[in-house]
């Protein structure tokens, strides 16, 4: 440190004491007051202070009046489908309904025999079993010897023939075609013998079935008070669900005419 610096360091306290005395002297009231000095230049704006703390919450105000209802918004997007819930408990049993009408199965059956003393049947023509035993639905015609189908389905036809004085061969015909053939040889026996045969046929409305002789030398069809020759047919089951025949049925369940 230099001498000048040391001298200034010793002088600085003395100056502080002197100035303090002057300040004290200035406090002494004077008889004559001076004029106010010229206002000084405004100081520079200070820096922005730190934000203050939030004030206390105010008291709750009175409820406002209810506003007007707004316009309805557009529908939102449909949400995802929910999980299927558990099955509910069974409901109570309902009251019993009225009894329905009983379905009546379609019917078709006939049986006829050759009358006593009938003439010898003509070959290639239908044998006329002219004595009707059963024909409630009228599907068999005794004048022609032919059965005509009105109820579609499966039928069973059977022929029981008495063979006498000659061999016998006959055919069961369907729509002009041979469905089955039967033969019995006659060996000059003193008493009649029998020939029986049957067949299942599927028929549709309009089909015809009959019996006819195949050969003139085998035409020993016979009938007497003690022995008969018969032709019988009946419906086993029908195809009525697939046919318009049963669109309107009379009360007895038979197809309408």
């Amino acid at each position: 440190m230099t001498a000048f610096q040391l001298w200034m360091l010793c002088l600085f306290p003395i100056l502080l004491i002197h100035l303090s005395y002057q300040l004290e002297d200035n406090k002494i009231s004077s008889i004559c007051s001076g004029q106010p000095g010229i206002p000084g230049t405004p100081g520079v704006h200070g820096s922005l202070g730190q934000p203050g703390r939030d004030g206390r919450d105010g008291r709750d105000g009175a409820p406002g009046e209810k506003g007007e209802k707004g316009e309805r918004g557009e529908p939102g997007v449909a949400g995802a489908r929910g999980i299927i819930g558990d099955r509910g408990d069974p409901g109570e049993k309902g009251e019993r309904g009225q009894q329905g009408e009983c379905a009546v199965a379609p019917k078709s059956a006939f049986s006829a025999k050759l009358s006593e003393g009938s003439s010898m049947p003509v070959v290639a023509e239908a044998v006329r079993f002219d004595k009707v035993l059963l024909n409630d639905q009228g599907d068999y015609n005794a004048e022609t010897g032919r059965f005509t189908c009105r109820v579609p389905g499966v039928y069973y036809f059977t022929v029981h023939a008495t063979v006498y004085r000659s061999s016998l061969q006959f055919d069961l015909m369907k729509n002009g075609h041979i469905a089955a053939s039967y033969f019995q040889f006659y060996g000059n026996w003193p008493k009649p013998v029998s020939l029986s045969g049957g067949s299942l046929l599927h028929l549709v409305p309009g089909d015809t079935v009959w019996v006819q002789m195949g050969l003139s030398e085998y035409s020993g069809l016979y009938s007497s008070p003690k022995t008969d020759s018969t032709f019988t047919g009946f419906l086993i089951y029908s195809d009525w669900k697939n046919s318009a025949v049963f669109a309107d049925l009379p009360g007895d369940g038979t197809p309408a005419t």
Side-chain angles (χ1 to χ4, degrees):
M1 184 179 290
T2 64
F4 178 76
Q5 291 175 339
L6 182 62
W7 182 80
M8 288 297 296
L9 183 63
C10 293
L11 185 61
F12 183 71
I14 297 174
L15 290 174
L16 290 176
I17 296 172
H18 179 72
L19 289 173
S20 64
Y21 285 158
Q22 286 182 352
L23 290 173
E24 293 295 331
D25 292 341
N26 289 335
K27 293 178 181 179
I28 299 175
S29 62
S30 175
I31 297 175
C32 297
S33 60
Q35 295 296 325
I38 299 172
T41 303
V44 181
H45 291 288
S47 301
L48 184 66
Q50 296 181 355
R53 297 180 178 178
D54 294 337
R56 295 181 179 179
D57 295 335
R59 295 180 180 180
D60 294 337
E65 296 180 359
K66 186 176 181 180
E68 296 180 0
K69 185 177 180 180
E71 296 180 359
R72 185 173 182 177
E74 296 181 359
V77 180
R81 186 173 183 177
I83 301 174
I84 299 176
D86 297 333
R87 186 173 182 177
D89 297 332
E92 296 181 359
K93 187 176 181 180
E95 297 180 359
R96 186 171 183 177
Q98 297 180 354
Q99 183 176 358
E101 297 181 0
C102 181
V104 179
K107 303 174 183 178
S108 181
F110 78 95
S111 184
K113 69 178 182 178
L114 201 66
S115 62
E116 301 170 15
S118 297
S119 59
M120 189 67 67
V122 179
V123 176
E125 290 187 5
V127 178
R128 291 182 295 172
F129 295 85
D130 53 345
K131 195 170 183 179
V132 174
L133 303 176
L134 176 70
N135 191 28
D136 291 345
Q137 291 76 39
D139 295 337
Y140 175 74
N141 188 332
E143 294 182 358
T144 62
R146 297 172 184 259
F147 169 85
T148 302
C149 173
R150 286 192 298 167
V151 179
V154 174
Y155 289 78
Y156 182 72
F157 294 93
T158 180
V159 180
H160 176 80
T162 299
V163 182
Y164 186 53
R165 296 177 183 169
S166 176
S167 299
L168 176 62
Q169 190 271 322
F170 64 84
D171 301 322
L172 182 66
M173 306 295 292
K174 174 187 173 182
N175 297 335
H177 301 282
I178 298 174
S181 295
Y182 308 92
F183 176 76
Q184 173 65 59
F185 175 75
Y186 177 69
N188 199 22
W189 301 304
K191 294 183 180 180
V193 294
S194 298
L195 171 61
S196 297
S199 182
L200 284 169
L201 299 178
H202 185 274
L203 305 180
V204 297
D207 286 346
T208 55
V209 179
W210 68 91
V211 176
Q212 75 177 25
M213 297 295 100
L215 298 172
S216 58
E217 61 269 28
Y218 301 140
S219 57
L221 192 62
Y222 179 77
S223 180
S224 70
K226 296 297 182 179
T227 180
D228 289 311
S229 294
T230 60
F231 180 33
T232 300
F234 53 88
L235 175 68
I236 295 179
Y237 63 85
S238 69
D239 297 334
W240 62 271
K241 290 184 179 179
N242 302 324
S243 175
V245 172
F246 301 97
D248 298 310
L249 292 178
D252 61 352
T254 58
T257 55

Short mmCIF file of all heavy atoms in Angstrom, two decimals, residues 2 5 16 20 35 53 56 82 100 107 131 133 147-148 163 175 180 184 187 194 197 205 209 234 238 242:
data_model
loop_
_atom_site.label_atom_id
_atom_site.label_comp_id
_atom_site.label_asym_id
_atom_site.label_seq_id
_atom_site.Cartn_x
_atom_site.Cartn_y
_atom_site.Cartn_z
N THR A 2 0.51 2.26 -0.79
CA THR A 2 1.31 3.49 -0.89
C THR A 2 0.98 4.43 0.23
O THR A 2 0.00 4.24 0.95
CB THR A 2 1.07 4.14 -2.25
OG1 THR A 2 -0.28 4.51 -2.32
CG2 THR A 2 1.43 3.19 -3.41
N GLN A 5 -2.42 6.18 -0.35
CA GLN A 5 -3.55 5.34 0.01
C GLN A 5 -3.70 5.26 1.50
O GLN A 5 -4.82 5.28 2.02
CB GLN A 5 -3.37 3.93 -0.61
CG GLN A 5 -3.48 3.90 -2.13
CD GLN A 5 -3.17 2.52 -2.72
OE1 GLN A 5 -2.49 1.71 -2.02
NE2 GLN A 5 -3.60 2.31 -3.96
N LEU A 16 -16.37 11.45 7.84
CA LEU A 16 -17.67 10.94 8.27
C LEU A 16 -18.15 11.64 9.50
O LEU A 16 -19.32 11.99 9.63
CB LEU A 16 -17.59 9.41 8.52
CG LEU A 16 -17.42 8.53 7.28
CD1 LEU A 16 -17.25 7.07 7.70
CD2 LEU A 16 -18.62 8.67 6.36
N SER A 20 -21.51 14.20 9.88
CA SER A 20 -22.58 13.94 10.86
C SER A 20 -22.90 15.13 11.69
O SER A 20 -24.04 15.41 12.04
CB SER A 20 -22.17 12.76 11.77
OG SER A 20 -21.03 13.12 12.51
N GLN A 35 -36.78 28.79 0.17
CA GLN A 35 -37.78 28.38 -0.81
C GLN A 35 -37.57 26.90 -1.16
O GLN A 35 -36.44 26.42 -1.18
CB GLN A 35 -37.66 29.21 -2.09
CG GLN A 35 -37.97 30.68 -1.88
CD GLN A 35 -39.41 30.91 -1.47
OE1 GLN A 35 -40.29 30.21 -1.92
NE2 GLN A 35 -39.64 31.93 -0.61
N ARG A 53 -49.96 -13.06 -2.88
CA ARG A 53 -50.68 -14.28 -2.56
C ARG A 53 -52.15 -14.15 -2.93
O ARG A 53 -52.69 -13.05 -2.98
CB ARG A 53 -50.56 -14.60 -1.08
CG ARG A 53 -49.12 -14.87 -0.64
CD ARG A 53 -49.10 -15.17 0.84
NE ARG A 53 -47.72 -15.47 1.28
CZ ARG A 53 -47.41 -15.73 2.55
NH1 ARG A 53 -48.37 -15.72 3.49
NH2 ARG A 53 -46.16 -16.00 2.87
N ARG A 56 -58.44 -14.44 0.14
CA ARG A 56 -59.39 -15.41 0.68
C ARG A 56 -60.62 -15.50 -0.23
O ARG A 56 -60.98 -14.56 -0.90
CB ARG A 56 -59.83 -14.99 2.08
CG ARG A 56 -58.71 -15.02 3.10
CD ARG A 56 -59.25 -14.60 4.46
NE ARG A 56 -58.18 -14.64 5.47
CZ ARG A 56 -58.36 -14.32 6.74
NH1 ARG A 56 -59.57 -13.90 7.15
NH2 ARG A 56 -57.36 -14.39 7.59
N GLY A 82 -72.63 -54.12 -25.44
CA GLY A 82 -72.33 -54.64 -24.12
C GLY A 82 -72.27 -56.16 -24.09
O GLY A 82 -72.64 -56.85 -25.03
N GLY A 100 -107.24 -77.93 -30.40
CA GLY A 100 -107.32 -77.75 -31.84
C GLY A 100 -108.08 -78.88 -32.51
O GLY A 100 -108.42 -79.89 -31.89
N LYS A 107 -107.89 -90.98 -47.12
CA LYS A 107 -108.28 -92.39 -47.23
C LYS A 107 -108.48 -92.78 -48.69
O LYS A 107 -108.91 -91.96 -49.51
CB LYS A 107 -109.58 -92.65 -46.47
CG LYS A 107 -109.54 -92.27 -44.99
CD LYS A 107 -110.90 -92.42 -44.35
CE LYS A 107 -110.89 -91.98 -42.90
NZ LYS A 107 -112.25 -92.09 -42.28
N LYS A 131 -118.44 -107.21 -58.54
CA LYS A 131 -119.21 -107.21 -57.29
C LYS A 131 -118.40 -106.48 -56.22
O LYS A 131 -117.45 -107.02 -55.66
CB LYS A 131 -119.52 -108.65 -56.86
CG LYS A 131 -120.60 -108.72 -55.80
CD LYS A 131 -121.03 -110.16 -55.59
CE LYS A 131 -122.18 -110.24 -54.57
NZ LYS A 131 -122.63 -111.64 -54.38
N LEU A 133 -117.21 -104.95 -52.85
CA LEU A 133 -117.30 -105.22 -51.42
C LEU A 133 -117.06 -103.95 -50.60
O LEU A 133 -117.69 -103.74 -49.56
CB LEU A 133 -116.26 -106.29 -51.02
CG LEU A 133 -116.36 -107.63 -51.77
CD1 LEU A 133 -115.23 -108.55 -51.35
CD2 LEU A 133 -117.72 -108.27 -51.51
N PHE A 147 -108.88 -99.03 -61.17
CA PHE A 147 -108.74 -98.13 -60.02
C PHE A 147 -108.03 -96.87 -60.50
O PHE A 147 -106.98 -96.95 -61.18
CB PHE A 147 -107.91 -98.80 -58.91
CG PHE A 147 -107.49 -97.85 -57.81
CD1 PHE A 147 -108.33 -97.58 -56.74
CD2 PHE A 147 -106.24 -97.22 -57.84
CE1 PHE A 147 -107.94 -96.70 -55.74
CE2 PHE A 147 -105.85 -96.36 -56.85
CZ PHE A 147 -106.70 -96.09 -55.79
N THR A 148 -108.59 -95.70 -60.16
CA THR A 148 -107.98 -94.42 -60.53
C THR A 148 -107.55 -93.68 -59.27
O THR A 148 -108.36 -93.44 -58.37
CB THR A 148 -108.97 -93.55 -61.34
OG1 THR A 148 -109.39 -94.28 -62.51
CG2 THR A 148 -108.32 -92.24 -61.77
N VAL A 163 -108.18 -120.83 -59.39
CA VAL A 163 -107.79 -121.43 -60.68
C VAL A 163 -108.53 -122.77 -60.82
O VAL A 163 -108.46 -123.64 -59.95
CB VAL A 163 -106.27 -121.67 -60.73
CG1 VAL A 163 -105.86 -122.25 -62.07
CG2 VAL A 163 -105.53 -120.37 -60.44
N ASN A 175 -101.02 -97.95 -65.66
CA ASN A 175 -100.95 -97.03 -66.80
C ASN A 175 -100.52 -97.75 -68.08
O ASN A 175 -99.75 -97.22 -68.89
CB ASN A 175 -99.98 -95.87 -66.51
CG ASN A 175 -100.42 -95.01 -65.34
OD1 ASN A 175 -101.60 -94.94 -65.01
ND2 ASN A 175 -99.46 -94.36 -64.70
N ALA A 180 -96.48 -106.26 -62.31
CA ALA A 180 -96.13 -107.59 -61.77
C ALA A 180 -96.93 -108.65 -62.52
O ALA A 180 -98.05 -108.39 -62.99
CB ALA A 180 -96.41 -107.65 -60.28
N GLN A 184 -100.09 -119.72 -62.43
CA GLN A 184 -100.42 -120.97 -61.71
C GLN A 184 -100.72 -122.04 -62.75
O GLN A 184 -101.61 -121.87 -63.60
CB GLN A 184 -101.61 -120.75 -60.79
CG GLN A 184 -102.14 -122.02 -60.14
CD GLN A 184 -101.13 -122.66 -59.17
OE1 GLN A 184 -100.71 -122.03 -58.22
NE2 GLN A 184 -100.75 -123.90 -59.42
N GLY A 187 -102.99 -128.79 -63.14
CA GLY A 187 -102.60 -130.14 -63.54
C GLY A 187 -103.76 -131.13 -63.61
O GLY A 187 -103.60 -132.27 -63.21
N SER A 194 -105.59 -122.13 -55.79
CA SER A 194 -105.55 -120.66 -55.65
C SER A 194 -104.23 -120.10 -56.17
O SER A 194 -103.18 -120.74 -56.14
CB SER A 194 -105.72 -120.27 -54.17
OG SER A 194 -106.97 -120.69 -53.69
N GLY A 197 -101.28 -112.91 -55.38
CA GLY A 197 -100.10 -112.05 -55.56
C GLY A 197 -100.43 -110.61 -55.23
O GLY A 197 -101.58 -110.18 -55.32
N PRO A 205 -102.04 -88.61 -58.65
CA PRO A 205 -103.41 -88.46 -59.14
C PRO A 205 -103.50 -88.67 -60.66
O PRO A 205 -102.71 -88.13 -61.43
CB PRO A 205 -103.75 -87.01 -58.76
CG PRO A 205 -102.94 -86.77 -57.53
CD PRO A 205 -101.66 -87.48 -57.76
N VAL A 209 -104.80 -98.45 -62.25
CA VAL A 209 -104.29 -99.80 -61.97
C VAL A 209 -105.42 -100.80 -62.24
O VAL A 209 -106.56 -100.55 -61.86
CB VAL A 209 -103.80 -99.92 -60.50
CG1 VAL A 209 -103.30 -101.34 -60.22
CG2 VAL A 209 -102.68 -98.90 -60.23
N PHE A 234 -105.41 -100.53 -51.40
CA PHE A 234 -105.61 -99.53 -50.35
C PHE A 234 -104.35 -98.68 -50.19
O PHE A 234 -103.23 -99.10 -50.50
CB PHE A 234 -105.99 -100.19 -49.01
CG PHE A 234 -105.05 -101.25 -48.55
CD1 PHE A 234 -103.93 -100.95 -47.78
CD2 PHE A 234 -105.28 -102.58 -48.90
CE1 PHE A 234 -103.06 -101.94 -47.37
CE2 PHE A 234 -104.41 -103.57 -48.48
CZ PHE A 234 -103.30 -103.25 -47.71
N SER A 238 -99.69 -91.42 -47.66
CA SER A 238 -99.92 -90.45 -48.73
C SER A 238 -98.79 -89.43 -48.80
O SER A 238 -98.00 -89.26 -47.88
CB SER A 238 -101.24 -89.71 -48.49
OG SER A 238 -101.12 -88.86 -47.35
N ASN A 242 -97.32 -82.65 -50.40
CA ASN A 242 -96.76 -82.17 -51.66
C ASN A 242 -97.80 -82.10 -52.78
O ASN A 242 -97.43 -81.97 -53.93
CB ASN A 242 -95.62 -83.09 -52.10
CG ASN A 242 -94.53 -83.18 -51.06
OD1 ASN A 242 -94.24 -82.21 -50.40
ND2 ASN A 242 -93.94 -84.36 -50.93
#
